[in-house]
Amino acid sequence: MSSVELRVPGIGGGADVEVIEISVAVGDRIEVEDAVIVLETDKATMEIPATDAGVVMNMNLAVGDKVSEGDLILTLDVEADASAGGDSQSGVSEPVVDQKEEAPVVTDTSSSSSNMTVRVPDLGGAAKVSVIEVSVSEGDAVTEEDFLIVVETDKASMEIPSPSAGTIAKLFAKVGDELNEGDPIAELTGVGGVAESASVKDANSEPHVEASASEKSAPVSQQTMIQQTVASTDTPSLTTAVAEKAASELNQSSGKVHAGPAARKIARELGVDLTLVKGSGPKQRIVKDDVQAFVKAQMQKAQSGASNVVAGSGIPAIKLPDFSQFGAVERQPMSRIHKITAANMSANWLNIPHVTQFDEADITELEAFRKQQKKVAELRNVKLTPLPFILKACAYALAQYPQFNVSLDMDKEELIQKSYIHIGFAVDTPDGLVVPVIRDVDQKGIWQLAEECMALAKKAKDKKLLPSDMQGGCFTISSLGSVGGTAFTPIVNAPEVAILGVSKAAMKPVYDGEGFVPRLMLPLSLSYDHRAVNGADGARFTSLLSELLGDIRNLVL
């Protein structure tokens, strides 16, 4: 017998890399490519495989140690047949790299180039965004900032660019997928070097990794939570027949599961027994997507027994007849914005006791002043509409009546009073209604408000709004003045407690004490949550708005 030292291989230039897991112990017999330790850089998690088969004589590292290229990991007592056979590899083996959730780059040191897994960036808090377009194919060469996919949130679409030049080795996203921040989009090869072919995904075989005790037995709290979920919905057991058969065959043949560190990490976090998961990777290797798909499948089963009622309302769903019996029909899918709006409107209407206060504001003088500013607006390249004045008036009214600037936490029976004034305004787009939010309206002048209204409305129509552009509103204005109508009942946009509807202004005869004179009257419809606002305050609020809009000099007092 002879001894062989196993040292840390090239790790993409990383130094002082932390050891997060020791996969073997002194006395263990290991095979070529068995994982011996797991390292974690600031970008990736890496398994270091054995270069030779043998028995571990000495272990020179412990969890928490910091290592660099060339540091000694362990010493092997190499068997004569293993050291002479073809299974032994000369030199230093490359680590198997499995990207972390937040890591945008994975380095492959087997060539002068490297690989990079491009992931979904920060979406401003949006989750489960739909992929509506894939702009590249496997094998395509891309440059930095070339668009890879287009995703659509509940309010806007966004193009996700490539962070680097390279060749698309593998696409993980397809049209219709729902992605979250950190989900993989594509694997780039040739980053920082010569681009490799798209077949790079098959270049290296994956190691067999022994499942740890924490993987074979899910954490009690998480496992109990899953079992309770299933029990509460009267659904079948979490273990499917297919998974049981695959796991049984795999365990009986080798007693091991074939999985990388990312799959093992997420399995530990979610309490998933990897022996129940069927792998889709090379040699039936379990990848992270397999674990996520397994969990999703079990959750869908748990929810399959839900009754046919409107969610949370107890109201029976409306059963539709077969309309084709009456004549020709055509079914069209609802857009994502339409679906989200429909769900939100239903929830708001069912949960909020609405009251609507109607009033009118005499905006004759305001309109005269606005038209006087037409030339100034042209010089500023701004379109001055009535909306900035209404925004300013609402901000003043919200400061005077702070009970309109709250949200209700009915679970905790608390009132959340806000010290800021952010106001949203509804924008009609071809794909549906969106509500961008202007922040700190009370601290901005009319011209600044006009500029922000224009910019946000353009972003809305171009489907360029970010989730952050539509968050944080305290109050909403829905204006139908350009369309028509005399009044309407807007639905409160929870968690706000009030919304102002503005209809089309019209000339009306108004008695001034001596006679009737023509005045331009603007209809106002204030809907509010009667749990937070009483009727008297609703009337006071609209009266104040009418006063402010009737004489805009009140806004500077």
Side-chain angles (χ1 to χ4, degrees), residues 209-216 255-258 264 273-275:
V209 182
E210 181 71 38
S212 65
S214 62
E215 293 149 359
K216 292 181 178 179
K256 301 177 180 180
V257 292
H258 196 185
R264 293 187 288 117
D273 184 349
L274 282 177
T275 61

Side-chain angles (χ1 to χ4, degrees), residues 348-491:
N348 292 340
W349 186 254
L350 289 169
N351 286 281
I352 297 174
H354 281 67
V355 176
T356 303
Q357 175 72 27
F358 300 97
D359 209 332
E360 286 184 318
D362 184 345
I363 61 169
T364 309
E365 304 303 329
L366 187 153
E367 273 297 282
F369 175 77
R370 186 178 69 86
K371 291 177 179 179
Q372 289 174 4
Q373 302 302 310
K374 185 176 181 180
K375 290 185 178 180
V376 179
E378 290 176 351
L379 292 174
R380 287 175 171 266
N381 196 28
V382 173
K383 185 177 181 181
L384 186 60
T385 67
L387 181 57
F389 296 96
I390 299 173
L391 281 164
K392 197 67 179 176
C394 288
Y396 184 90
L398 288 170
Q400 296 300 308
Y401 295 102
Q403 59 266 47
F404 285 84
N405 192 17
V406 301
S407 287
L408 296 176
D409 188 337
M410 297 306 295
D411 290 336
K412 296 183 179 179
E413 297 183 338
E414 292 178 349
L415 197 70
I416 303 170
Q417 183 68 60
K418 301 161 190 176
S419 58
Y420 52 87
I421 298 178
H422 305 338
I423 300 179
F425 63 100
V427 179
D428 185 27
T429 74
D431 295 307
L433 197 68
V434 293
V435 184
V437 175
I438 297 181
R439 283 167 162 67
D440 302 315
V441 177
D442 56 321
Q443 301 174 28
K444 296 174 180 177
I446 296 296
W447 291 116
Q448 187 176 357
L449 292 174
E451 290 172 355
E452 291 194 30
C453 286
M454 281 185 57
L456 287 171
K458 185 177 186 305
K459 287 179 70 175
K461 293 183 185 298
D462 293 341
K463 298 181 69 175
K464 298 296 184 182
L465 285 175
L466 299 175
S468 57
D469 293 328
M470 297 172 284
Q471 296 172 346
C474 308
F475 185 84
T476 297
I477 297 172
S478 179
S479 177
L480 298 177
S482 61
V483 181
T486 57
F488 66 103
T489 303
I491 297 177

Side-chain angles (χ1 to χ4, degrees), residues 102-124:
E102 67 275 17
V105 179
V106 177
T107 303
D108 177 3
T109 57
S110 61
S111 68
S112 61
S113 64
S114 62
N115 293 349
M116 171 186 290
T117 300
V118 183
R119 296 179 179 270
V120 177
D122 181 8
L123 298 170

Side-chain angles (χ1 to χ4, degrees), residues 494-516:
E496 300 166 14
V497 297
I499 180 173
L500 179 69
V502 181
S503 297
K504 186 176 182 179
M507 295 298 297
K508 293 185 178 181
V510 178
Y511 188 70
D512 64 357
E514 296 181 358
F516 288 93

Side-chain angles (χ1 to χ4, degrees), residues 28-86:
D28 287 353
R29 187 186 187 286
I30 61 176
E31 303 294 337
V32 175
E33 293 298 332
D34 278 356
V36 293
I37 62 173
V38 180
L39 305 179
E40 185 176 65
T41 70
D42 59 345
K43 297 292 184 183
T45 301
M46 297 175 287
E47 288 179 338
I48 306 299
T51 56
D52 293 88
V55 177
V56 179
M57 298 172 58
N58 296 301
M59 174 59 66
N60 294 76
L61 299 176
V63 172
D65 286 352
K66 300 292 182 68
V67 298
S68 301
E69 181 178 347
D71 287 350
L72 180 63
I73 300 174
L74 55 80
T75 304
L76 280 179
D77 186 356
V78 183
E79 297 177 354
D81 57 345
S83 60

Side-chain angles (χ1 to χ4, degrees), residues 76-153:
L76 280 179
D77 186 356
V78 183
E79 297 177 354
D81 57 345
S83 60
D87 290 338
S88 179
Q89 298 178 354
S90 61
V92 179
S93 172
E94 293 301 325
V96 177
V97 182
D98 208 318
Q99 190 142 3
K100 291 173 61 181
E101 284 285 335
E102 67 275 17
V105 179
V106 177
T107 303
D108 177 3
T109 57
S110 61
S111 68
S112 61
S113 64
S114 62
N115 293 349
M116 171 186 290
T117 300
V118 183
R119 296 179 179 270
V120 177
D122 181 8
L123 298 170
K128 292 187 177 180
V129 296
S130 293
V131 179
I132 61 173
E133 181 181 331
V134 177
S135 306
V136 295
S137 302
E138 292 184 1
D140 286 356
V142 296
T143 60
E144 185 175 353
E145 298 301 326
D146 278 355
F147 295 128
L148 302 179
I149 63 172
V150 181
V151 298
E152 185 177 59
T153 69

